[in-house]
Amino acid sequence: MNSLTAAQIAALCNGKVEGNASISVSSFGKIEEAKAGDLAFLANPKYEEFLYSTQADIIIINESLELKQPISATLIRVKDAYSAFAGLLAQYQQLQASMLTGRQEPVYIHDTAKIGEQVFLGAFAYIGKNVTIGKNVKIHPQVYIGDNVTVGDNTVLYPGVKIYHQTIIGKNVIVHAGAVIGGDGFGFAPQADGTYAKVPQIGNVIIEDNVEIGANATIDRATIGSTKILAGAKIDNLVQVAHNVEIGSYTVVAAQAGISGSTKLGKGVMVGGQVGIVGHIHIGDGAKINAQSGVSKSIEPGKAVTGSPAFDYTSALRSQSAARRLPDMEKRIAELEKLVAALNSK
Amino acid sequence: MNSLTAAQIAALCNGKVEGNASISVSSFGKIEEAKAGDLAFLANPKYEEFLYSTQADIIIINESLELKQPISATLIRVKDAYSAFAGLLAQYQQLQASMLTGRQEPVYIHDTAKIGEQVFLGAFAYIGKNVTIGKNVKIHPQVYIGDNVTVGDNTVLYPGVKIYHQTIIGKNVIVHAGAVIGGDGFGFAPQADGTYAKVPQIGNVIIEDNVEIGANATIDRATIGSTKILAGAKIDNLVQVAHNVEIGSYTVVAAQAGISGSTKLGKGVMVGGQVGIVGHIHIGDGAKINAQSGVSKSIEPGKAVTGSPAFDYTSALRSQSAARRLPDMEKRIAELEKLVAALNSK
Amino acid sequence: MNSLTAAQIAALCNGKVEGNASISVSSFGKIEEAKAGDLAFLANPKYEEFLYSTQADIIIINESLELKQPISATLIRVKDAYSAFAGLLAQYQQLQASMLTGRQEPVYIHDTAKIGEQVFLGAFAYIGKNVTIGKNVKIHPQVYIGDNVTVGDNTVLYPGVKIYHQTIIGKNVIVHAGAVIGGDGFGFAPQADGTYAKVPQIGNVIIEDNVEIGANATIDRATIGSTKILAGAKIDNLVQVAHNVEIGSYTVVAAQAGISGSTKLGKGVMVGGQVGIVGHIHIGDGAKINAQSGVSKSIEPGKAVTGSPAFDYTSALRSQSAARRLPDMEKRIAELEKLVAALNSK
């Protein structure tokens, strides 16, 4: 970041300076690791000890915090230190992103493509037939956009993203490097002779506004119709979304999870890392699926599950805990059998 | 698709028109979602209700179906509606693919590469030394083909596929975007000082005819010899195939499964999503491995397994079911211990 | 490889020729599969039978080995046949790699980038602002190197590797095709209205010397600070490393494992395939985590764990074994209940 004074930072986040208002910083740091020239923050009381030892030059803290000893750094007091710091980071990132415009060379752009204002087009990017790109979109180097794709305003496609034909992407979407959107669903019809015939996959993928998709994730096109990622959903790295799946609004899917064909996830669902979900089921709004679970049946709204196969979270934890005592239980049964046999032979 | 009349579609799929033979459609739709201008089909009786409410203009149905009420759409009656529809889709896709020819610019082609007739070469594709490309191959943009690679006729390499040197790919193979074929196997020899020496991986990968490989899948080259994917095998997205693995003919491996080094899978094996298989074992022909299983031992032909560690499917389901009653079983044991102690002290 | 005579090979590996010293080979083969013109080796006594049937023209064997019958191939006797063979492979690979220099066209190189001597730059590679590339680095085609990245001497970046801005990569690092380094960590702050605000990820990734990273692996940048892969660590294909993770020196992470945010792995840890590790924990030096384990708590140095949730390896195996007898245990409990009831009613 460019150098900013404590006074400037306080102005940006509605804070009050305590200390040297003209001292300046040019980078961000964690309070426990920060060095001279860094801006840090303290929100979690667990980290308060670092407030008195950090090398950071400026620290954003809650206005309510009472100091236990003098501090050499300049403080900026705000209502909520975490929000203020995150807000500064977001402003900083937006500023950086907005500077990214223009067209590098070479790129491949089909004659029929329509490209909006202030779009960044990185080198070796490919834009196919009848593609429509909105305003202010950032298409990083080596991105592939197939025929008839639409990309909404302010969307960011990181290097090497591959978007197959017919995909529709909304506004303010972020897709990270290497993600593949719109590849063929995995559909093969078994033949009498033991071979398979490919089932053509002629649907598409629709990604609504404010979705974020992680690096090297794969979202398959529908057999017919659309695979849908609804507004605000967040998909982590290396996630697999099969054909005709629908992922609800503001649903979060952690890394390496996989969702099989035609399954629908409701709103605000939380899917842990490495979870597997079978096809053709429904996960209710607000359900929580613990990491590594294997979900084989539909889940009611709001319910939490864990395990493979997954069942009710609390019961499953009890079973898991009992499972650790299994060898002991087996001995107790053997002991009981002996005792009962002895009683019976009396 | 281009606009087709009911009469033309009936001709393509050996059907009989019932209704307006001159009405035309230009897209495919699911019967429950189709809109005006769509061609739909009805095969599964569960969906019959939609036959009477769909907006589709033309519907392909089984010749045996008896209507329960009049229908406004034009019908095309065939022996097997699903096969007829799938056949139309396949024809449509082939037609589209066959139109893809020529060479976009820029591409990198080494002087020594031999490229067959009617090959499509997308922009930013890379063709290394001594590469041989068959007839009618589709090399999409940003594909990388390393030195000494051979690619058979009619094969399709989607955008960003990376094929390391020495790989041999057969005919009619499909590789989806971002897949990496021929990367180094994961081999390191532990040294006395706790470090590792890399074991050179100088084998290659052989992919036979009619194989399909999913997006962002990784197939490692052999240490020595070849990693082999035999004819007709289907590998889904994000699957990991380690060095010296052999995957049998028409074996199907679902998304995110991983197969460790030197393991051999027979013919017609079914591997579920997120399955892990250890190295140096053998999976017999026709074996079925349930999703998320962890396979640590060889499996007999035709056997089904589940669980991690995996064992016989039916027994494993019984154990999984009993595991849910574990907390209850523990209480029953405690109760028995009390009763037996009481009996003993009588 | 170029053709080498038995005499030349013996010179390279300090061996003694037995047989025709002028016979030559031009490829490597496994003893059980080798064909005429191949160089093979025999180290594992289990494979000795192949010594008498192999088609290989030259075989490297241990000097201590006593032949049981005459052999037509030329033998080269060395102290340790495996090491000698691996050494030859390594020499061969280094020779091949060292021949890779120069610059293919087109490439994109920002004016401000500094590129060392003897660097190979493949076609369609992208080098951003203020990038520094060391000596003898191999940047394969279609690699993306974002702004302010540093790459140390002798590092190899395979085709399509994507390195986001600010990443620091050491010397002698190997990154396989499609790996993404420095993508945003998965951080979203839940808002009162059920939506999420993106938490800016402004840290970076640091990869130390001698690290190897597999194809399509993803290593996220830190929220603040650095995600770190320490010297000599080996990361397999499709592994997910989340923001602010630290992976210790000579730690090995097998394919498709995932490590959640801020977790630290010590030195010499072994992480099996498809393992999942939760965030904010510490895995002690030399710990061993069995494949598919789900690690939810910190692990002591040197300890081995398995299962999901993971616990002590030996106890877990005992529980897993007992779990297979669960249906039987349940019957035994029922039988005991009957017997005890009968005793009580006497």
Coordinates of all heavy atoms in Angstrom, one line a residue, chain B residues 20-98:
Chain B
N20 N -49.1 -31.2 -35.3 CA -48.6 -30.2 -36.3 C -47.2 -30.6 -36.7 O -46.2 -30.3 -36.0 CB -48.7 -28.8 -35.7 CG -48.2 -27.8 -36.7 OD1 -47.7 -28.2 -37.9 ND2 -48.2 -26.5 -36.3
A21 N -47.1 -31.2 -37.9 CA -45.7 -31.7 -38.4 C -44.8 -30.5 -38.8 O -43.6 -30.7 -38.9 CB -45.9 -32.6 -39.5
S22 N -45.4 -29.3 -39.0 CA -44.5 -28.2 -39.5 C -44.1 -27.3 -38.4 O -43.3 -26.3 -38.6 CB -45.2 -27.5 -40.6 OG -46.4 -26.9 -40.0
I23 N -44.5 -27.6 -37.1 CA -44.0 -26.7 -36.0 C -42.5 -27.0 -35.8 O -42.1 -28.1 -36.0 CB -44.8 -27.0 -34.7 CG1 -44.6 -25.8 -33.7 CG2 -44.5 -28.3 -34.1 CD1 -45.5 -25.8 -32.6
S24 N -41.8 -25.9 -35.4 CA -40.3 -26.1 -35.3 C -39.8 -25.7 -33.9 O -40.4 -24.9 -33.2 CB -39.6 -25.3 -36.3 OG -39.7 -24.0 -36.1
V25 N -38.7 -26.3 -33.5 CA -38.1 -26.0 -32.2 C -36.6 -25.7 -32.5 O -36.0 -26.1 -33.5 CB -38.1 -27.2 -31.2 CG1 -39.6 -27.4 -30.7 CG2 -37.6 -28.5 -31.9
S26 N -36.0 -25.0 -31.5 CA -34.5 -24.7 -31.7 C -33.7 -24.9 -30.4 O -32.6 -24.5 -30.3 CB -34.4 -23.2 -32.1 OG -35.0 -22.4 -31.2
S27 N -34.3 -25.6 -29.4 CA -33.5 -25.9 -28.2 C -34.1 -27.1 -27.5 O -35.3 -27.5 -27.8 CB -33.5 -24.7 -27.3 OG -34.8 -24.2 -27.0
F28 N -33.3 -27.7 -26.6 CA -33.8 -28.8 -25.8 C -34.2 -28.4 -24.4 O -33.7 -27.4 -23.9 CB -32.6 -29.8 -25.7 CG -32.1 -30.4 -27.0 CD1 -31.0 -29.8 -27.5 CD2 -32.8 -31.4 -27.6 CE1 -30.5 -30.4 -28.7 CE2 -32.3 -31.9 -28.8 CZ -31.1 -31.4 -29.4
G29 N -35.2 -29.1 -23.8 CA -35.6 -28.7 -22.5 C -36.0 -30.0 -21.7 O -36.4 -31.0 -22.3
K30 N -36.0 -29.9 -20.4 CA -36.6 -31.0 -19.6 C -38.1 -30.8 -19.6 O -38.5 -29.6 -19.5 CB -36.1 -30.9 -18.1 CG -34.7 -31.3 -17.9 CD -34.4 -30.9 -16.5 CE -33.4 -31.9 -15.9 NZ -32.9 -31.4 -14.6
I31 N -38.8 -31.8 -19.6 CA -40.3 -31.7 -19.7 C -40.9 -30.8 -18.6 O -41.8 -30.0 -18.9 CB -41.0 -33.1 -19.8 CG1 -42.4 -32.9 -20.3 CG2 -40.9 -33.8 -18.5 CD1 -43.0 -34.2 -20.9
E32 N -40.3 -30.9 -17.4 CA -40.9 -30.1 -16.3 C -40.4 -28.6 -16.3 O -40.9 -27.8 -15.6 CB -40.5 -30.8 -15.0 CG -39.1 -30.7 -14.6 CD -38.2 -31.9 -15.1 OE1 -38.5 -32.4 -16.2 OE2 -37.2 -32.2 -14.4
E33 N -39.5 -28.3 -17.2 CA -39.0 -26.9 -17.2 C -39.1 -26.3 -18.6 O -38.8 -25.1 -18.8 CB -37.5 -26.9 -16.8 CG -37.1 -27.4 -15.5 CD -35.6 -27.4 -15.3 OE1 -34.9 -27.3 -16.3 OE2 -35.2 -27.5 -14.1
A34 N -39.4 -27.1 -19.6 CA -39.3 -26.6 -21.0 C -40.2 -25.4 -21.3 O -41.2 -25.2 -20.6 CB -39.7 -27.7 -21.9
K35 N -39.8 -24.6 -22.2 CA -40.5 -23.4 -22.6 C -40.8 -23.5 -24.1 O -40.4 -24.4 -24.8 CB -39.7 -22.1 -22.3 CG -38.3 -22.2 -22.7 CD -37.4 -21.1 -22.1 CE -36.1 -21.1 -22.9 NZ -35.6 -22.4 -23.3
A36 N -41.6 -22.5 -24.6 CA -42.0 -22.5 -26.0 C -40.7 -22.6 -26.9 O -39.7 -21.9 -26.5 CB -42.8 -21.3 -26.4
G37 N -40.7 -23.3 -27.9 CA -39.5 -23.5 -28.8 C -38.6 -24.6 -28.4 O -37.6 -24.9 -29.1
D38 N -39.0 -25.3 -27.3 CA -38.2 -26.5 -26.9 C -38.7 -27.8 -27.4 O -39.9 -28.0 -27.6 CB -38.2 -26.6 -25.3 CG -37.2 -25.6 -24.7 OD1 -36.5 -24.9 -25.4 OD2 -37.2 -25.6 -23.4
L39 N -37.7 -28.7 -27.5 CA -38.0 -30.1 -27.8 C -37.8 -30.8 -26.4 O -36.7 -30.7 -25.8 CB -37.0 -30.7 -28.8 CG -37.0 -32.2 -29.0 CD1 -38.3 -32.7 -29.6 CD2 -35.8 -32.6 -29.9
A40 N -38.8 -31.6 -26.0 CA -38.6 -32.4 -24.7 C -38.9 -33.8 -25.0 O -39.2 -34.2 -26.1 CB -39.5 -31.8 -23.7
F41 N -38.8 -34.7 -23.9 CA -39.1 -36.1 -24.0 C -39.7 -36.5 -22.7 O -39.5 -35.9 -21.7 CB -37.9 -36.9 -24.4 CG -37.0 -37.2 -23.3 CD1 -36.9 -38.4 -22.6 CD2 -36.1 -36.2 -22.8 CE1 -36.0 -38.6 -21.6 CE2 -35.2 -36.4 -21.8 CZ -35.2 -37.6 -21.1
L42 N -40.5 -37.6 -22.8 CA -41.0 -38.3 -21.6 C -40.7 -39.7 -21.7 O -41.1 -40.5 -22.6 CB -42.5 -38.1 -21.6 CG -43.2 -38.9 -20.4 CD1 -42.8 -38.3 -19.1 CD2 -44.7 -38.9 -20.5
A43 N -39.9 -40.2 -20.7 CA -39.5 -41.6 -20.7 C -40.0 -42.2 -19.3 O -40.6 -43.3 -19.3 CB -38.0 -41.8 -20.9
N44 N -39.7 -41.5 -18.2 CA -40.0 -42.0 -16.9 C -41.5 -41.7 -16.6 O -41.9 -40.5 -16.5 CB -39.1 -41.2 -15.9 CG -39.2 -41.7 -14.5 OD1 -40.2 -42.3 -14.1 ND2 -38.1 -41.5 -13.7
P45 N -42.3 -42.7 -16.3 CA -43.7 -42.5 -16.0 C -44.0 -41.5 -14.9 O -45.0 -40.8 -14.8 CB -44.2 -43.9 -15.7 CG -43.2 -44.8 -16.1 CD -41.9 -44.1 -16.2
K46 N -43.0 -41.4 -13.9 CA -43.1 -40.5 -12.8 C -43.3 -39.0 -13.3 O -43.9 -38.2 -12.5 CB -41.8 -40.5 -11.9 CG -41.8 -41.5 -10.9 CD -40.7 -41.3 -9.8 CE -39.7 -40.2 -10.0 NZ -38.6 -40.4 -9.0
Y47 N -42.9 -38.7 -14.5 CA -43.0 -37.3 -15.0 C -44.2 -37.1 -15.9 O -44.4 -36.1 -16.4 CB -41.7 -36.9 -15.7 CG -40.5 -36.8 -14.8 CD1 -39.8 -37.9 -14.3 CD2 -40.2 -35.5 -14.3 CE1 -38.7 -37.7 -13.5 CE2 -39.1 -35.3 -13.5 CZ -38.4 -36.4 -13.0 OH -37.3 -36.2 -12.2
E48 N -45.1 -38.1 -16.0 CA -46.2 -38.0 -16.9 C -47.1 -36.8 -16.7 O -47.6 -36.2 -17.7 CB -47.1 -39.3 -17.0 CG -48.0 -39.3 -18.1 CD -48.9 -40.5 -18.3 OE1 -48.4 -41.6 -17.8 OE2 -50.0 -40.4 -18.8
E49 N -47.3 -36.4 -15.5 CA -48.1 -35.2 -15.2 C -47.6 -34.0 -16.0 O -48.4 -33.2 -16.5 CB -48.1 -34.9 -13.7 CG -46.7 -34.7 -13.1 CD -46.7 -34.1 -11.7 OE1 -47.4 -33.1 -11.5 OE2 -46.0 -34.6 -10.9
F50 N -46.3 -33.8 -16.2 CA -45.8 -32.7 -16.9 C -46.1 -32.7 -18.4 O -46.1 -31.7 -19.0 CB -44.3 -32.6 -16.7 CG -43.9 -32.4 -15.3 CD1 -43.2 -33.4 -14.6 CD2 -44.1 -31.2 -14.7 CE1 -42.9 -33.2 -13.2 CE2 -43.8 -31.0 -13.3 CZ -43.1 -32.0 -12.6
L51 N -46.4 -33.9 -18.9 CA -46.8 -34.0 -20.3 C -48.0 -33.1 -20.6 O -48.1 -32.5 -21.7 CB -47.2 -35.5 -20.6 CG -47.5 -35.9 -22.0 CD1 -46.3 -35.6 -22.9 CD2 -47.8 -37.4 -22.1
Y52 N -48.9 -32.9 -19.6 CA -50.1 -32.2 -19.9 C -50.0 -30.7 -19.5 O -50.8 -29.9 -19.8 CB -51.3 -32.8 -19.1 CG -51.3 -34.3 -19.4 CD1 -50.9 -35.2 -18.5 CD2 -51.7 -34.8 -20.6 CE1 -50.9 -36.6 -18.7 CE2 -51.7 -36.1 -20.9 CZ -51.3 -37.0 -20.0 OH -51.3 -38.4 -20.3
S53 N -48.9 -30.3 -18.9 CA -48.7 -28.9 -18.5 C -47.5 -28.3 -19.2 O -47.3 -27.0 -19.1 CB -48.6 -28.8 -17.0 OG -47.4 -29.6 -16.6
T54 N -46.6 -29.0 -19.8 CA -45.4 -28.5 -20.3 C -45.6 -27.4 -21.4 O -46.6 -27.5 -22.1 CB -44.4 -29.6 -20.9 OG1 -43.2 -29.0 -21.3 CG2 -45.1 -30.3 -22.1
Q55 N -44.6 -26.5 -21.5 CA -44.7 -25.5 -22.6 C -44.0 -25.9 -23.8 O -44.0 -25.2 -24.9 CB -44.0 -24.2 -22.1 CG -44.7 -23.6 -20.8 CD -46.1 -23.1 -21.1 OE1 -46.3 -22.4 -22.0 NE2 -47.0 -23.6 -20.2
A56 N -43.3 -27.1 -23.8 CA -42.5 -27.5 -24.9 C -43.4 -27.6 -26.2 O -44.6 -28.0 -26.1 CB -41.9 -28.9 -24.6
D57 N -42.9 -27.4 -27.3 CA -43.6 -27.4 -28.6 C -43.7 -28.8 -29.2 O -44.6 -29.2 -29.8 CB -43.1 -26.4 -29.6 CG -43.6 -25.0 -29.3 OD1 -44.8 -24.9 -28.9 OD2 -42.9 -24.0 -29.5
I58 N -42.6 -29.6 -29.0 CA -42.6 -30.9 -29.5 C -42.1 -31.9 -28.3 O -41.2 -31.5 -27.6 CB -41.6 -31.1 -30.7 CG1 -42.0 -30.0 -31.7 CG2 -41.6 -32.5 -31.2 CD1 -41.1 -30.1 -33.0
I59 N -42.7 -33.0 -28.2 CA -42.4 -34.0 -27.1 C -42.2 -35.4 -27.8 O -43.1 -35.8 -28.5 CB -43.4 -34.0 -26.0 CG1 -43.8 -32.6 -25.5 CG2 -42.9 -34.9 -24.8 CD1 -45.0 -32.6 -24.7
I60 N -41.1 -36.0 -27.5 CA -40.9 -37.4 -27.9 C -41.4 -38.3 -26.8 O -41.0 -38.1 -25.7 CB -39.4 -37.6 -28.2 CG1 -38.9 -36.7 -29.3 CG2 -39.1 -39.1 -28.5 CD1 -37.4 -36.8 -29.6
I61 N -42.3 -39.2 -27.2 CA -42.8 -40.2 -26.2 C -42.8 -41.6 -26.7 O -42.6 -41.8 -27.9 CB -44.3 -39.8 -25.8 CG1 -45.2 -39.9 -27.0 CG2 -44.4 -38.4 -25.2 CD1 -46.7 -39.8 -26.7
N62 N -42.9 -42.5 -25.8 CA -43.0 -43.9 -26.2 C -44.2 -44.2 -27.0 O -45.3 -43.7 -26.7 CB -42.9 -44.9 -25.0 CG -41.6 -44.8 -24.3 OD1 -40.6 -44.5 -24.9 ND2 -41.6 -45.1 -23.0
E63 N -44.1 -45.1 -28.0 CA -45.3 -45.4 -28.9 C -46.4 -46.0 -28.1 O -47.6 -45.9 -28.4 CB -44.9 -46.2 -30.1 CG -44.2 -47.5 -29.8 CD -43.6 -48.2 -31.0 OE1 -43.5 -47.5 -32.1 OE2 -43.3 -49.4 -31.0
S64 N -46.0 -46.7 -27.0 CA -47.0 -47.4 -26.2 C -47.8 -46.6 -25.2 O -48.8 -47.0 -24.6 CB -46.2 -48.5 -25.3 OG -45.3 -47.8 -24.5
L65 N -47.4 -45.3 -25.1 CA -48.0 -44.4 -24.1 C -49.5 -44.1 -24.5 O -49.7 -43.6 -25.6 CB -47.2 -43.2 -23.9 CG -47.7 -42.3 -22.7 CD1 -47.2 -42.7 -21.4 CD2 -47.3 -40.8 -23.0
E66 N -50.4 -44.3 -23.5 CA -51.8 -43.9 -23.8 C -52.1 -42.6 -23.1 O -51.9 -42.4 -21.9 CB -52.8 -44.9 -23.3 CG -52.7 -46.2 -24.1 CD -53.7 -47.3 -23.6 OE1 -54.8 -46.9 -23.1 OE2 -53.3 -48.5 -23.7
L67 N -52.5 -41.6 -23.9 CA -52.8 -40.2 -23.3 C -54.0 -40.3 -22.4 O -55.0 -40.9 -22.7 CB -53.0 -39.2 -24.4 CG -51.8 -39.0 -25.3 CD1 -52.1 -38.0 -26.4 CD2 -50.5 -38.6 -24.5
K68 N -53.9 -39.5 -21.3 CA -55.1 -39.4 -20.4 C -55.9 -38.2 -20.7 O -57.0 -38.1 -20.2 CB -54.6 -39.4 -18.9 CG -54.0 -40.8 -18.6 CD -53.5 -40.8 -17.2 CE -52.8 -42.2 -16.9 NZ -51.6 -42.0 -16.1
Q69 N -55.3 -37.2 -21.4 CA -56.1 -36.0 -21.8 C -55.4 -35.4 -23.0 O -54.3 -35.8 -23.4 CB -56.2 -35.0 -20.6 CG -54.8 -34.7 -20.0 CD -55.0 -33.7 -18.9 OE1 -55.0 -34.0 -17.7 NE2 -55.0 -32.4 -19.2
P70 N -56.1 -34.6 -23.7 CA -55.6 -34.0 -25.0 C -54.3 -33.1 -24.6 O -54.2 -32.6 -23.5 CB -56.7 -33.1 -25.5 CG -57.8 -33.1 -24.5 CD -57.5 -34.1 -23.4
I71 N -53.5 -33.0 -25.6 CA -52.2 -32.3 -25.4 C -52.1 -31.3 -26.6 O -52.3 -31.6 -27.7 CB -51.0 -33.3 -25.5 CG1 -51.0 -34.1 -24.2 CG2 -49.7 -32.5 -25.6 CD1 -50.0 -35.2 -24.2
S72 N -51.6 -30.1 -26.3 CA -51.5 -29.1 -27.3 C -50.2 -29.2 -28.1 O -50.1 -28.9 -29.3 CB -51.5 -27.7 -26.7 OG -50.5 -27.5 -25.7
A73 N -49.1 -29.8 -27.4 CA -47.9 -29.9 -28.1 C -48.0 -31.0 -29.2 O -48.8 -31.9 -29.2 CB -46.8 -30.4 -27.1
T74 N -47.0 -30.9 -30.1 CA -46.9 -32.0 -31.2 C -46.1 -33.1 -30.5 O -45.1 -32.9 -29.8 CB -46.2 -31.4 -32.4 OG1 -47.0 -30.4 -33.0 CG2 -45.8 -32.5 -33.4
L75 N -46.6 -34.3 -30.8 CA -45.9 -35.5 -30.2 C -45.2 -36.2 -31.3 O -45.6 -36.3 -32.5 CB -46.9 -36.5 -29.6 CG -47.8 -35.9 -28.5 CD1 -48.8 -36.9 -28.0 CD2 -46.9 -35.5 -27.3
I76 N -44.0 -36.8 -30.9 CA -43.4 -37.8 -31.9 C -43.3 -39.1 -31.1 O -42.6 -39.2 -30.0 CB -42.0 -37.2 -32.3 CG1 -42.1 -35.9 -33.1 CG2 -41.2 -38.3 -33.1 CD1 -40.8 -35.3 -33.4
R77 N -43.9 -40.1 -31.7 CA -43.9 -41.4 -31.0 C -42.8 -42.3 -31.5 O -42.6 -42.4 -32.7 CB -45.3 -42.1 -31.2 CG -46.4 -41.5 -30.4 CD -47.7 -42.3 -30.5 NE -48.7 -41.7 -29.7 CZ -48.9 -42.1 -28.4 NH1 -48.1 -42.9 -27.8 NH2 -49.9 -41.5 -27.7
V78 N -42.0 -42.9 -30.6 CA -40.9 -43.8 -31.0 C -40.9 -45.0 -30.1 O -41.7 -45.0 -29.1 CB -39.5 -43.0 -30.8 CG1 -39.4 -41.9 -31.8 CG2 -39.3 -42.6 -29.4
K79 N -40.1 -46.0 -30.4 CA -40.1 -47.2 -29.6 C -39.6 -46.8 -28.2 O -40.2 -47.2 -27.2 CB -39.1 -48.2 -30.2 CG -39.8 -49.4 -30.6 CD -38.9 -50.6 -30.9 CE -39.7 -51.6 -31.7 NZ -39.0 -52.2 -32.7
D80 N -38.5 -46.1 -28.1 CA -37.9 -45.8 -26.8 C -37.5 -44.3 -26.7 O -36.5 -43.9 -27.3 CB -36.6 -46.7 -26.6 CG -35.9 -46.4 -25.3 OD1 -36.2 -45.4 -24.6 OD2 -35.0 -47.2 -25.0
A81 N -38.3 -43.6 -26.0 CA -38.2 -42.1 -26.0 C -36.8 -41.7 -25.5 O -36.2 -40.7 -26.1 CB -39.3 -41.5 -25.2
Y82 N -36.3 -42.3 -24.5 CA -35.1 -41.9 -23.9 C -33.9 -42.1 -24.9 O -33.1 -41.2 -25.2 CB -34.7 -42.6 -22.6 CG -33.4 -42.2 -22.0 CD1 -33.3 -41.0 -21.4 CD2 -32.3 -43.0 -22.2 CE1 -32.0 -40.6 -21.0 CE2 -31.1 -42.6 -21.7 CZ -30.9 -41.4 -21.1 OH -29.7 -41.0 -20.6
S83 N -33.9 -43.2 -25.5 CA -32.8 -43.5 -26.5 C -32.9 -42.6 -27.7 O -31.9 -42.1 -28.2 CB -32.9 -44.9 -27.0 OG -32.7 -45.8 -26.0
A84 N -34.1 -42.3 -28.1 CA -34.3 -41.4 -29.3 C -33.8 -40.0 -29.0 O -33.1 -39.4 -29.8 CB -35.8 -41.4 -29.7
F85 N -34.2 -39.6 -27.8 CA -33.8 -38.2 -27.4 C -32.2 -38.1 -27.3 O -31.6 -37.2 -27.8 CB -34.4 -37.8 -26.1 CG -34.3 -36.4 -25.7 CD1 -35.0 -35.4 -26.4 CD2 -33.4 -36.0 -24.7 CE1 -34.9 -34.1 -26.0 CE2 -33.2 -34.7 -24.4 CZ -34.0 -33.7 -25.0
A86 N -31.7 -39.1 -26.6 CA -30.2 -39.2 -26.4 C -29.5 -39.2 -27.7 O -28.5 -38.6 -28.0 CB -29.8 -40.3 -25.5
G87 N -30.1 -40.0 -28.7 CA -29.5 -40.1 -30.0 C -29.5 -38.7 -30.7 O -28.5 -38.4 -31.3
L88 N -30.6 -38.0 -30.6 CA -30.7 -36.7 -31.2 C -29.6 -35.8 -30.6 O -28.9 -35.0 -31.3 CB -32.1 -36.1 -30.9 CG -33.2 -36.5 -31.9 CD1 -34.5 -36.0 -31.4 CD2 -32.9 -36.1 -33.3
L89 N -29.5 -35.8 -29.2 CA -28.5 -35.0 -28.6 C -27.1 -35.3 -29.1 O -26.3 -34.4 -29.4 CB -28.5 -35.2 -27.1 CG -29.7 -34.7 -26.3 CD1 -29.5 -34.9 -24.8 CD2 -29.9 -33.2 -26.6
A90 N -26.8 -36.6 -29.2 CA -25.5 -37.0 -29.7 C -25.2 -36.5 -31.1 O -24.1 -36.0 -31.4 CB -25.4 -38.6 -29.6
Q91 N -26.2 -36.7 -32.0 CA -26.1 -36.2 -33.3 C -25.8 -34.7 -33.3 O -25.0 -34.2 -34.1 CB -27.4 -36.4 -34.1 CG -27.6 -37.9 -34.6 CD -28.8 -38.0 -35.4 OE1 -29.1 -37.3 -36.3 NE2 -29.6 -39.0 -35.0
Y92 N -26.5 -34.0 -32.5 CA -26.4 -32.5 -32.4 C -25.0 -32.2 -31.9 O -24.3 -31.3 -32.5 CB -27.4 -32.0 -31.4 CG -27.2 -30.6 -30.9 CD1 -27.4 -29.5 -31.8 CD2 -26.9 -30.3 -29.6 CE1 -27.2 -28.2 -31.4 CE2 -26.7 -29.0 -29.2 CZ -26.9 -28.0 -30.1 OH -26.7 -26.7 -29.7
Q93 N -24.5 -32.9 -30.9 CA -23.1 -32.6 -30.4 C -22.1 -32.9 -31.5 O -21.1 -32.2 -31.6 CB -22.9 -33.4 -29.2 CG -23.5 -32.8 -27.9 CD -22.6 -32.9 -26.7 OE1 -22.0 -34.0 -26.5 NE2 -22.5 -31.9 -25.9
Q94 N -22.2 -34.0 -32.2 CA -21.3 -34.4 -33.2 C -21.2 -33.3 -34.3 O -20.1 -33.0 -34.8 CB -21.6 -35.7 -33.8 CG -20.9 -36.9 -33.1 CD -21.2 -38.2 -33.7 OE1 -21.7 -38.3 -34.8 NE2 -21.0 -39.2 -32.9
L95 N -22.4 -32.9 -34.7 CA -22.5 -31.9 -35.7 C -21.7 -30.6 -35.3 O -20.9 -30.0 -36.0 CB -24.0 -31.5 -35.9 CG -24.3 -30.6 -37.1 CD1 -24.1 -31.4 -38.4 CD2 -25.7 -30.0 -37.0
Q96 N -22.0 -30.2 -34.0 CA -21.3 -29.0 -33.5 C -19.8 -29.2 -33.5 O -19.1 -28.3 -33.9 CB -21.8 -28.7 -32.1 CG -23.1 -28.1 -32.0 CD -23.1 -27.2 -30.8 OE1 -22.7 -27.5 -29.7 NE2 -23.6 -26.0 -30.9
A97 N -19.4 -30.3 -33.0 CA -17.9 -30.6 -32.9 C -17.3 -30.6 -34.3 O -16.2 -30.1 -34.5 CB -17.7 -31.9 -32.2
S98 N -18.0 -31.2 -35.3 CA -17.4 -31.4 -36.6 C -17.2 -30.0 -37.2 O -16.4 -29.9 -38.2 CB -18.3 -32.3 -37.4 OG -19.5 -31.6 -37.7

